[in-house]
Amino acid sequence: MVDLLWHQWSSIGVAGYERPGEQRIIDPEALVLATTRFGRYDSRLMDESIDWLMKFGQRISLQRLRGLEKNWPGVADPHVLSSIADMLGGQVAHRKWRVLAAPPARILDPEPLFLVRDGNPTPQFNETDPVFAKHGLLRGVVVLRNMSQAPDPRRPENLVFTLRALLGVNARAEIMAWLLTHESGHPAAIARATGYFSKSIQQILNEMAGSGQLASTRTSREKHFFLPRRKEWQALLTPTAAGRNTIPEWIDWMPLFSAVTRFAEALGKPGLDQKSEHYQAIQLREAFAVATPALVQAGRIHAMQANPQLTGAALITALLADLEAMMG
């Protein structure tokens, strides 16, 4: 997860390392929410993401971010999210972030922000950052390098950012991105994939159809929308480079991150490595049962579904292979 998040932040302008040939559309709000949890395992990732948000936080939809956090509990760390929002809200350009800056209702006893891979806290520091401390998290003072760049519209994975620059930070950008990567779709399916209310998506689709760039057709009792000039829009927004197809792939990142979070919690239980393979398999099966609805929404097929008879070491090996494949 840390590696994946690094690649996504680097793709949108953070000073880091990129994954060559990435063809999966980045979800801005899902990226922020997942980083509040898994960024705790990499202090540089956390601080570089804050650096980018300080410069380009207005490109994040706070309405959508709040909706995704509510619909997919557990992905975000609420204490980290409120700390970052508090930092951003101190700037006039990002005052809207103040709606997320209130500390969670239950503040834990102060605990270290950063963790090592086994879940233990990192070594102590000399000076504590006052903003994070207010939210119950202990870390050194945040020092930003101010090296982040704006998302490059030539990169196919940045399609949502390109459309937000063109259409505004609203549902229309996500709708266009979804329609560019699918033949057609029912408003409910588009709403579920983009994280907006179905009625809102229905209304916006009807409005967009008035432009002549969107059309609809009825299948049974359902109305499906599509782009009649989809190939032309694709050629305009994701031009072919070096002779290869650059049409990116739509990924439902939030359900995927939710499932990974469930497995990370199961695998991170203290003492699990010392337990028998049978006990480990039981824990993973329980995590899989909890994560199954999210995996179904993400459209992922896994070894455990294909072969429910897997047990012990075979189950663990197959499940970990699935998780690695999901991370790309």
Side-chain angles (χ1 to χ4, degrees), residues 3-195:
D3 182 64
L4 173 65
L5 295 174
W6 258 120
H7 284 303
Q8 292 200 355
W9 281 109
S10 299
S11 293
I12 68 173
V14 153
Y17 56 98
E18 302 169 1
R19 176 176 290 169
E22 180 60 73
Q23 290 290 297
R24 299 182 296 177
I25 295 176
I26 293 170
D27 181 328
E29 288 70 44
L31 176 59
V32 171
L33 292 173
T35 302
T36 64
R37 177 168 298 279
F38 292 97
R40 298 187 67 172
Y41 295 90
D42 190 318
S43 59
R44 183 166 165 254
L45 171 63
M46 180 72 74
D47 287 358
E48 292 297 340
S49 66
I50 295 173
D51 185 276
W52 188 93
L53 289 168
M54 281 289 187
K55 295 184 71 173
F56 306 109
Q58 72 276 9
R59 304 193 183 195
I60 300 297
S61 169
L62 298 185
Q63 176 188 2
R64 183 169 183 267
L65 187 144
R66 295 173 74 182
L68 291 177
E69 183 193 17
K70 180 180 179 181
N71 292 335
W72 297 102
V75 173
D77 185 311
H79 298 275
V80 178
L81 180 59
S82 62
S83 300
I84 294 174
D86 202 350
M87 290 191 69
L88 268 64
Q91 295 189 345
V92 175
H94 301 312
R95 60 184 179 273
K96 292 183 179 179
W97 280 81
R98 294 173 188 168
V99 300
L100 297 171
R106 189 172 74 93
I107 292 291
L108 304 174
D109 293 334
E111 63 178 30
L113 169 64
F114 296 117
L115 310 168
V116 293
R117 291 299 175 93
D118 63 3
N120 288 318
T122 56
Q124 294 298 311
F125 34 82
N126 295 325
E127 192 174 354
T128 302
D129 187 272
V131 176
F132 277 85
K134 185 168 66 174
H135 297 262
L137 297 168
L138 303 177
R139 61 154 296 161
V141 175
V142 177
V143 179
L144 302 179
R145 300 194 300 161
N146 196 34
M147 294 179 63
S148 297
Q149 303 294 319
D152 186 348
R154 295 169 297 181
R155 299 181 66 92
E157 65 267 36
N158 293 343
L159 180 60
V160 169
F161 287 101
T162 301
L163 289 167
R164 286 183 177 182
L166 182 66
L167 304 173
V169 182
N170 53 54
R172 293 172 188 256
E174 273 76 34
I175 289 173
M176 280 295 292
W178 196 93
L179 290 173
L180 282 165
T181 53
H182 296 78
E183 293 290 342
S184 65
H186 184 267
I190 299 174
R192 186 167 54 252
T194 57

Side-chain angles (χ1 to χ4, degrees), residues 262-298:
R262 298 293 185 187
F263 289 124
E265 290 173 348
L267 293 169
K269 288 182 178 179
L272 182 65
D273 290 343
Q274 285 72 49
K275 299 292 185 179
S276 68
E277 290 180 350
H278 178 69
Y279 178 86
Q280 293 176 3
I282 291 174
Q283 297 302 306
L284 290 176
R285 279 199 179 278
E286 290 178 354
F288 180 78
V290 174
T292 294
L295 292 172
V296 170
Q297 181 165 335

Side-chain angles (χ1 to χ4, degrees), residues 179 184-185 205 208-209 212-217 223-228:
L179 290 173
S184 65
L205 285 167
M208 293 175 69
Q213 297 300 315
L214 218 67
S216 63
T217 183
K223 189 176 184 181
H224 288 250
F225 288 84
F226 63 96
L227 291 169

